[in-house]
Amino acid sequence: MAHRFSIKEIARHAGISTASVDRVIHNRANVSARTRLRVGQAIAEMERQELQIAAQGRQMFFDFVVEAPARFAREVRVAAETVMPQFSAAICRPRFITQDVMTDDQVADALDRIIKRGSHGLCLKARDTPRIRDAVNRVTAAGIPVVTLVTDITVAGRKAYVGLDNASAGRTAAFLISRVLGRASGCVLATQSDGAFLGEEERHAAFVHEMAIRCPDLTIVTSSRGRGVHYQTTQDLRAVMGQLDGLRAVYSMGGGNRTILSMLADHGHCVDVFVAHDLDHDNRALIDTSQIDFILHHDLTEDLRQVFAAFLAHHKVGVAGETGAVSGVQVITPANVPAQRR
């Protein structure tokens, strides 16, 4: 049995005699399976403790590349700063690259810069495109673990996906809208920031499927290029505004809700139910004033805890646990909005 500890140390840690440890280490006969197990567990625990001691005070740099409106990027930063002090095995140093809209080349260039300067981990929220997939493959080939946040990238080498169960969110939105509208006819506006975000595409597919079952007389009109920012959301909605006769509901998967509401009001639309995502600052104000009816939310702080846990587990720093957990959907209404973090 491979080890780098003295027999006396192992015996003390395992709570058995040095003679028993010696027989296990040298694979001698007349040793019970239980004794072998205790020695193996003792060595494994001593190795974990050694790694923890070695990591104390060690700085580890983690990079975050987030293509999202500033309101969401700010929530990611706050969540990261909240959970970092909980990981005492190392000093975690985050480095952020965030932008409302990023081209494939901008994302790929950012990832190549991270490879060049080195990193202990990359947390990525980006679109699932061939150019970005190639860049992610270069990151993993360089030995840098990649964790995708909220929306996934279809590459085999990424360490974990952390974030919302997007298909469940789409089904939940359909359920809520169907409970309000019943067997009504008309149409529903479904908005995405970009169909190339895999998470939003999963939400959309599940929503359309569930709505066809629950509300077969409602037509889904999709707007999928708003990027969650004012100008592009405005342009994208203008392209579908002529299809919104009999508009009854909105399912906003990608943000830009103030712009959506303003555009609909300018064209004389008043919906029965509006379902949005994420309890950010803007959406808090909108649900407080009853402009939004439901917010599908997940615990971003827990997501970031999972991100750091995945990175540290990759480097064998601290005690490894389950990582890459998918967040459940929380349905927020005007009656149960949680207190804002300070």
Side-chain angles (χ1 to χ4, degrees):
M1 180 179 291
H3 71 96
R4 56 181 175 274
F5 308 105
S6 71
I7 288 176
K8 187 175 181 179
E9 287 178 297
I10 298 170
R12 183 170 59 246
H13 202 92
I16 58 179
S17 69
T18 54
S20 295
V21 173
D22 183 78
R23 286 196 295 273
V24 172
I25 294 300
H26 294 97
N27 200 29
R28 296 194 174 101
N30 300 319
V31 180
S32 70
R34 178 175 175 80
T35 298
R36 291 186 187 278
L37 178 63
R38 289 178 67 175
V39 171
Q41 289 175 335
I43 291 173
E45 178 60 28
M46 292 168 73
E47 288 174 342
R48 283 194 293 269
Q49 291 176 359
E50 187 178 67
L51 285 169
Q52 286 179 314
I53 291 169
Q56 291 294 336
R58 175 184 176 189
Q59 291 195 82
M60 304 187 75
F61 292 91
F62 302 118
D63 289 281
F64 290 76
V65 177
V66 177
E67 182 190 351
R71 58 185 178 271
F72 182 81
R74 182 173 57 247
E75 294 290 325
V76 172
R77 187 186 294 267
V78 169
E81 291 171 350
T82 298
V83 303
M84 280 189 302
Q86 300 172 14
F87 293 95
S88 58
I91 300 171
C92 300
R93 300 296 190 201
R95 300 181 295 205
F96 289 91
I97 300 173
T98 65
Q99 196 168 305
D100 286 359
V101 177
M102 300 178 76
T103 65
D104 287 8
D105 286 343
Q106 287 174 324
V107 174
D109 290 346
L111 300 194
D112 287 336
R113 290 196 302 273
I114 289 168
I115 294 170
K116 186 174 181 179
R117 74 184 179 192
S119 177
H120 293 98
L122 167 67
C123 179
L124 180 65
K125 181 187 181 295
R127 286 163 293 111
D128 185 38
T129 67
R131 180 89 165 90
I132 293 174
R133 287 196 292 270
D134 288 344
V136 172
N137 282 326
R138 291 195 294 274
V139 174
T140 59
I144 300 171
V146 175
V147 175
T148 53
L149 178 66
V150 180
T151 187
D152 207 358
I153 304 289
T154 52
V155 295
R158 65 113 171 94
K159 184 76 176 179
Y161 164 76
V162 169
L164 185 64
D165 182 339
N166 288 295
S168 175
R171 291 191 297 270
T172 301
F175 171 80
L176 294 170
I177 288 172
S178 70
R179 294 296 290 176
V180 173
L181 298 184
R183 303 291 290 188
S185 60
C187 71
V188 175
L189 174 64
T191 64
Q192 301 171 266
S193 63
D194 192 305
F197 282 113
L198 187 59
E200 289 186 21
E201 188 55 35
E202 290 173 344
R203 295 174 193 177
H204 183 267
F207 176 71
V208 170
H209 180 267
E210 194 73 10
M211 286 295 292
I213 296 170
R214 293 181 175 275
C215 300
D217 296 326
L218 285 171
T219 302
I220 309 298
V221 177
T222 300
S223 167
S224 61
R225 294 286 180 180
R227 295 296 185 95
V229 295
H230 175 74
Y231 175 77
Q232 287 179 263
T233 299
T234 300
Q235 296 301 108
D236 205 37
L237 285 177
R238 281 177 179 160
V240 301
M241 199 59 68
Q243 304 172 43
L244 299 182
D245 289 342
L247 181 64
R248 302 296 304 274
V250 174
Y251 176 32
S252 170
M253 298 167 232
N257 296 319
R258 287 188 181 279
T259 301
I260 294 169
L261 288 162
S262 177
M263 284 283 291
L264 294 180
D266 288 347
H267 287 79
H269 293 294
C270 181
V271 299
D272 297 297
V273 56
F274 193 120
V275 181
H277 271 267
D278 301 321
L279 192 61
D280 57 29
H281 181 269
D282 280 1
N283 284 344
R284 280 180 177 275
L286 293 174
I287 200 168
D288 283 345
T289 54
S290 298
Q291 296 178 77
I292 287 177
D293 301 285
F294 302 105
I295 295 174
L296 304 183
H297 183 62
H298 65 287
D299 189 346
L300 195 56
T301 300
E302 180 58 30
D303 289 345
L304 269 293
R305 185 178 293 109
Q306 292 287 335
V307 169
F308 285 109
F311 289 151
L312 296 177
H314 174 85
H315 293 286
K316 297 182 172 59
V317 175
V319 179
E322 292 186 7
T323 57
V326 176
S327 302
V329 180
Q330 303 174 36
V331 179
I332 306 298
T333 75
N336 69 338
V337 179
Q340 192 164 10
R341 285 197 308 264
R342 296 188 180 276

